[in-house]
Amino acid sequence: MKTSQLIGRTMVHTTDPAITGEVTDVLLDIGLEEVVFLLVDVVIAEERAPVLFSPTVLVLDGGVLKTSAHPDDIAARHDASFHRMKVAVNPSDLPNTFIGPFGNTFSPSMIMALFNARTGAELPKPQPQENGVWFKELQGRAVRAHVGDVGHIQDVILGPDLKTCDTVEIVTPSNQSRMCAPQSLHVKRLEDHDLLLSISQHDDLS
């Protein structure tokens, strides 16, 4: 499935019909090989708040995302997020490490900084992070090679379990759609938090 097709998709709970949501973004690891989190606008008791979901607790069934995560856990994270939207969280107050769904280590300061960026909270400028990238931040970005820009990111195609990134779709300047392996791309977050994308020379799409 294309990552863009996940955006706007409905999420429901398998046992609690009072919990619903809509996917607003997808956080990928910096290597574009794995899905770290899905950001879902969750509605509980008519209150809407963004909550991060690991792909390990989500299943795509009949076009609808379903989660079996414990309702109390979702409610607690929803409540914390609802209040966090009003009071910005300083990433420097968080611990140094977080173990992701695949056993890899991520920085909670990166997660929280990007999370708050998506919710529009006013925050102190976070330190540069190297561990992940939001799909909406990635889409449309120019891809560079030794000859210059060779296209821009159109989409990321995910595996059936929504946990891995199979291929990356790049649209060339001549409006041709080309597919490449995530391993062919190098994504770097600059000091100003902008992204720099380059492609291996042997995979040049020009």
Side-chain angles (χ1 to χ4, degrees):
M1 166 175 279
K2 291 185 175 182
T3 305
S4 62
Q5 295 175 334
L6 276 179
I7 308 299
R9 196 165 291 265
T10 298
M11 186 204 75
V12 299
H13 198 275
T14 54
T15 61
D16 190 340
I19 298 176
T20 61
E22 179 181 301
V23 179
T24 58
D25 212 342
V26 177
L27 183 65
L28 310 169
D29 77 300
I30 201 71
L32 305 185
E33 297 184 45
E34 299 174 346
V35 176
V36 184
F37 290 111
L38 276 72
L39 184 61
V40 180
D41 261 359
V42 174
V43 179
I44 300 177
E46 299 184 357
E47 291 183 342
R48 181 182 297 270
V51 177
L52 291 168
F53 283 82
S54 166
T56 60
V57 300
L58 293 166
V59 175
L60 187 61
D61 183 11
V64 177
L65 279 173
K66 296 182 178 180
T67 182
S68 56
H70 199 288
D72 291 345
D73 179 50
I74 296 176
R77 290 187 287 132
H78 174 275
D79 184 64
S81 177
F82 183 77
H83 291 92
R84 184 168 57 234
M85 287 191 297
K86 303 179 184 304
V87 180
V89 174
N90 188 336
S92 64
D93 294 335
L94 297 173
N96 292 325
T97 58
F98 172 81
I99 304 301
F102 297 90
N104 41 6
T105 301
F106 291 87
S107 163
S109 59
M110 178 273 294
I111 295 292
M112 190 58 65
L114 293 174
F115 178 88
N116 279 297
R118 297 251 74 78
T119 61
E122 294 293 332
L123 290 175
K125 187 175 180 180
Q127 293 299 310
Q129 301 296 333
E130 302 290 339
N131 305 87
V133 55
W134 291 105
F135 173 70
K136 287 184 178 179
E137 181 186 23
L138 181 70
Q139 192 177 36
R141 291 279 177 171
V143 179
R144 297 183 176 182
H146 65 287
V147 296
D149 291 354
V150 297
H152 63 269
I153 300 293
Q154 178 72 16
D155 224 318
V156 177
I157 291 78
L158 306 179
D161 58 2
L162 308 181
K163 298 176 184 176
T164 57
C165 305
D166 288 349
T167 54
V168 178
E169 182 181 6
I170 297 174
V171 175
T172 68
S174 59
N175 207 31
Q176 297 293 314
S177 178
R178 303 289 180 86
M179 300 293 180
C180 73
Q183 297 85 353
S184 300
L185 290 169
H186 177 69
V187 183
K188 181 180 181 181
R189 188 171 295 280
L190 304 177
E191 290 188 3
D192 61 359
H193 309 295
D194 200 4
L195 293 176
L196 178 64
L197 278 68
S198 58
I199 192 167
S200 302
Q201 183 171 342
H202 66 277
D203 289 313
D204 194 333
L205 300 177
S206 59

